[in-house]
Structures are given as C-alpha cells and as structure tokens.
Amino acid sequence: MNELYLNGAFVPPEAAHISVMDRGFLFGDGVYEVIPSYGGHFLGLEPHLDRLDASLAAMRLEAPLAREDWRAVLRRLIGEPPAADQYVYLQVTRGTAPERDHLCPAGVRPTVLAFAKPIKPRAPAIAEQGVACITHPDIRWLRGDIKSISLAAAVLMRREAADADALETIMHRDGWVTEGAVSNVFVVAGGALMTPPKSRLLLSGITRELALTLAHEHGLEFVERPVALDILRAADEIWLSSSTREVLPVTRLDGELVGDGRPGLLWRRMDALYQDYKARVRAGHV
Ligand code: PLP
C-alpha cells in the first residue's frame, strides 16, 4: 500500500495516525464499505456509495464527503486503468471526542479512512470442490442492514467456522436463515433458487443484488422468500455471495454433504454469468 486516505490527505500508512479517543476505537461507532475494482474499474461503485449513505443515515452520521469527492478519493487509491484488481476499504467513524461518553457532543468531525488492497484471485480448488460452512444462531443485533464497524459477532462466527475447518458461518434466527457472517446466502431446493428477502436483519449485499439481476436477465428463476433452516439443510445447492469472494458454492454444511457434495449446475451457470460481468467491468464496458 503506497498511500491511504485519512481525513482529507493522502499519506503513507506509517504516517497515518488516529487518536485513541476516536469513537470507532472506543465504541465501534462507525460504518464501512468494501468496494471491488477490476483493472482499475469499480464494480458497483454507485450501489456501494448508496448503501454507505443509508448506513450513515441510519447511524445519524452526516455524509463527510460529497459523492463526487468519494469517487475522486477512491479512484486515486486504485490508480488508473489498467490497474491491479483491488478492493477499497472505507470507514467513517463519528470522530474523536474529548470524553469517552456514549452521547457524542455536537461539533465532532467524523474520521474518514480509505485504503486499497489487492483482491486475492479465487483458488481453483473452490470451483472444483466448493467450500465448507457451519451453522449458528444469529447472535448479532437487530440492525444487520447497517454496515456497522461493530463486528464482534462476525469475528466470533468466523473463528467458530475456522475452528471447524470451514470458511463461513451461516446464521439463523428463530429457525430462519439470515445470512453468513460476511456474506449473503442463496439456496437451491426443489428446483427453486431462493434467497432470504431484504430486511433489517441482514445486509443488502451488492453481490446478492447483482446475482439476482444477472439471474433475471438470463432467465434463471428465483424467489426472495424466507428460507427455513430445514430447507437449508436439505438443499441441493447453497451459495455465498460477497464483493471480494463473488459467488461461492457451499458443498459441506456442518460436516454433511450439500447435494452430491460438488458445486452444483446452477452455481456453474451463475458463476459463468458473474465472471462474464466482471470481464466487462474490467474492460470498462459497465
Ligand atoms: N452480509 C454481511 C454480514 C457482510 O459483511 C457482507 C460483506 O461483507 C455481505 C453480506 C455481502 O455484501 P456485499 O455483496 O455488498 O459485499
């Protein structure tokens, strides 16, 4: 990383400093986004910035930058096309206040941080073998739609998954699937492709939305409906979606095979559509 963006300046990482009184550090009081780019072109920049606005509004934080300023900052971080594949992480906290008080006084300026990191290419074994997941009750708060930096539950869930040699934890609340710790979930069951509908309980994933758009454009039927844990367990296919991991096939759930234990036919179709879309992004055609 050559430089990152902090509060209006581009600086080398070692020159970037944030106060220990920052509310992001003390309270996890802030929001974030992760935006992928291919060859120097962002995938889903505007939907990501729309979701950032929604998260900021839900947290009663004012937008610290105008839309065109965000675009300029993010473009500078990834460089000119043809650049390497990178994602930008951006974070806005409520800022640094003099006291550690849950109630933030007026006039505190938000802290704005953004940096770019390489996107690791998907390991070929994933398309051959898929990934393993575990399930766990959803122990998070009731505002999964806010992309909050308070990620204690997600950190715990990823640890649980790693301890079980799995990539991700799929969470459920009252018998209904919500989402992964860091991804949305799709299920193919009884020939139908389904994903839980948007609600306050889960993040409205940009990749989820793109997958549904691609499905719609290419005649793959799907339904947004509540997915019972029983349906998940009996599914023929399970997919995860996220900006940096794209759409992944899940072939083991809690140690049991999903379907025949291999990435499914519908996933192959969706992955081909997704890879094609990415190639068009990379070429600057979307
Ligand atoms: N759900 C959660 C809880 C996440 O943290 C993420 C991404 O980090 C997603 C879903 C997927 O969202 P997106 O496709 O916008 O990356």
Side-chain angles (χ1 to χ4, degrees), residues 32 51 140 147 179-184 203 205-207 241-243:
Y32 75 109
R51 188 173 64 186
R140 303 171 305 166
K147 205 160 166 64
E179 61 181 334
V182 291
S183 58
N184 291 111
L203 190 73
I206 307 304
T207 320
S241 69
S242 85
S243 293

Side-chain angles (χ1 to χ4, degrees), residues 1-265:
M1 197 193 322
N2 296 331
E3 57 176 16
L4 53 70
Y5 174 87
L6 181 64
N7 295 332
F10 290 90
V11 292
E14 58 279 8
H17 300 292
I18 297 172
S19 166
V20 294
M21 295 306 286
D22 192 275
R23 296 178 61 90
F25 181 63
L26 293 178
F27 295 107
D29 184 8
V31 300
Y32 75 109
E33 276 296 325
V34 176
I35 312 174
S37 70
Y38 299 98
H41 301 279
F42 283 107
L43 190 160
L45 180 58
E46 300 308 320
H48 277 281
L49 292 177
D50 288 344
R51 188 173 64 186
L52 175 67
D53 285 346
S55 295
L56 287 167
M59 290 302 296
R60 300 172 66 164
L61 279 160
E62 269 180 40
L65 269 72
R67 184 63 70 105
E68 57 270 29
D69 295 331
W70 276 125
R71 289 192 198 109
V73 167
L74 302 183
R75 292 223 167 93
R76 170 153 167 187
L77 287 173
I78 62 165
E80 296 296 317
D85 295 350
Q86 301 160 82
Y87 67 85
V88 169
Y89 175 87
L90 74 85
Q91 168 174 314
V92 181
T93 78
R94 205 174 300 274
T96 298
E99 302 294 332
R100 185 195 171 276
D101 186 346
H102 291 70
L103 190 60
C104 187
V108 170
R109 278 211 338 263
T111 300
V112 183
L113 167 71
F115 56 78
K117 289 274 187 191
I119 294 180
K120 290 192 198 106
R122 184 171 76 195
I126 288 187
E128 301 299 317
Q129 296 158 18
V131 300
C133 287
I134 59 168
T135 58
H136 196 282
D138 194 336
I139 56 171
R140 303 171 305 166
W141 68 335
L142 298 173
R143 290 304 304 270
D145 59 322
I146 302 174
K147 205 160 166 64
S148 163
I149 62 168
S150 297
L151 290 169
V155 168
L156 265 181
M157 292 301 96
R158 288 297 306 286
R159 185 72 261 158
E160 295 276 336
D163 289 351
D165 283 330
L167 182 78
E168 174 67 307
T169 299
I170 297 179
M171 296 177 290
H172 50 88
R173 202 183 277 280
D174 304 326
W176 301 98
V177 174
T178 49
E179 61 181 334
V182 291
S183 58
N184 291 111
V185 175
F186 290 78
V187 166
V188 179
L193 171 62
M194 60 188 88
T195 189
K198 287 194 244 182
S199 79
R200 285 193 163 191
L201 296 180
L202 56 100
L203 190 73
S204 177
I206 307 304
T207 320
R208 173 191 179 281
E209 210 60 38
L210 175 58
L212 293 181
T213 303
L214 292 173
H216 176 72
E217 286 173 1
H218 294 86
L220 300 183
E221 282 182 29
F222 64 85
V223 46
E224 293 174 82
R225 53 158 266 197
V227 177
L229 188 54
D230 294 349
I231 299 281
L232 180 81
R233 292 208 184 285
D236 298 314
E237 296 187 29
I238 301 173
W239 313 341
L240 305 174
S241 69
S242 85
S243 293
T244 49
R245 294 186 184 273
E246 309 176 351
V247 184
L248 293 185
V250 179
T251 48
R252 281 144 293 151
L253 186 69
D254 290 332
E256 305 284 328
L257 293 186
V258 176
D260 64 4
R262 281 178 308 184
L265 280 181

